[in-house]
Amino acid sequence: MPRTIIQPEANANDAGENFFSHEVASTDGGATFLTTPEDVMALPQAPGDDFRGIAADGGLVYVITHEGTTGVDTEIYAFDPTVATPTAPAPATLVLSVVGERNCSGHEIDANYFYTSCDTDSRIVRIDRTTGAVTLLTDAYDPSSTAN
């Protein structure tokens, strides 16, 4: 089963809060993985691309792929980090397949929507958590940090 690492981080500005970041867990295509930190998420299938956005809500951690291939959906997966152990990563589920948005990075959540920045025409979009419907919030500027 393909795996990725999601590593908890302490944030000195928010006492008691846990934030998560992701990093490359394998340098040989998944044949072996880093042993420290341990994998905490086990995917049901190989994702379409690497993860470039992560957010937490309601006890679950959500990750979004950075899919760049036309015709291949961007994917959002979720898992409960509290069930992961050093020998048994938490099972993840595919929450949504987002049609038509590519190269998404950054990820935020509220009760009804996911928010992300996609390189499909330099868009910041809102994605309905139930239906997957995408709403353009703005394409008035390039959200890339390298576009100055």
Side-chain angles (χ1 to χ4, degrees):
M1 193 177 298
R3 295 181 181 167
T4 191
I5 288 178
I6 307 295
Q7 180 180 343
E9 293 183 324
N11 183 330
N13 296 325
D14 296 304
E17 293 292 323
N18 289 323
F19 293 89
F20 297 85
S21 66
H22 62 86
E23 62 184 80
V24 175
S26 177
T27 59
D28 57 9
T32 60
F33 290 85
L34 300 175
T35 57
T36 305
E38 299 293 338
D39 296 346
V40 297
M41 178 177 76
L43 297 165
Q45 71 271 342
D49 209 326
D50 59 328
F51 297 109
R52 296 280 180 95
I54 185 167
D57 182 56
L60 296 177
V61 174
Y62 295 83
V63 292
I64 189 168
T65 59
H66 187 254
E67 182 55 59
T69 306
T70 300
V72 179
D73 295 345
T74 292
E75 299 164 324
I76 299 174
Y77 291 87
F79 72 97
D80 179 350
T82 65
V83 301
T85 70
T87 57
T93 57
L94 178 63
V95 175
L96 280 176
S97 291
V98 183
V99 178
E101 298 297 331
R102 294 186 309 280
N103 298 320
C104 298
S105 59
H107 195 41
E108 189 56 61
I109 301 174
D110 68 19
N112 300 306
Y113 301 99
F114 296 110
Y115 300 87
T116 190
S117 170
C118 299
D119 199 21
T120 312
D121 302 321
S122 299
R123 299 161 53 91
I124 297 177
V125 297
R126 179 178 69 197
I127 304 165
D128 187 288
R129 288 176 65 166
T130 303
T131 68
V134 176
T135 302
L136 173 66
L137 297 179
T138 186
D139 61 358
Y141 61 94
D142 188 342
S144 170
S145 63
T146 59
N148 294 323

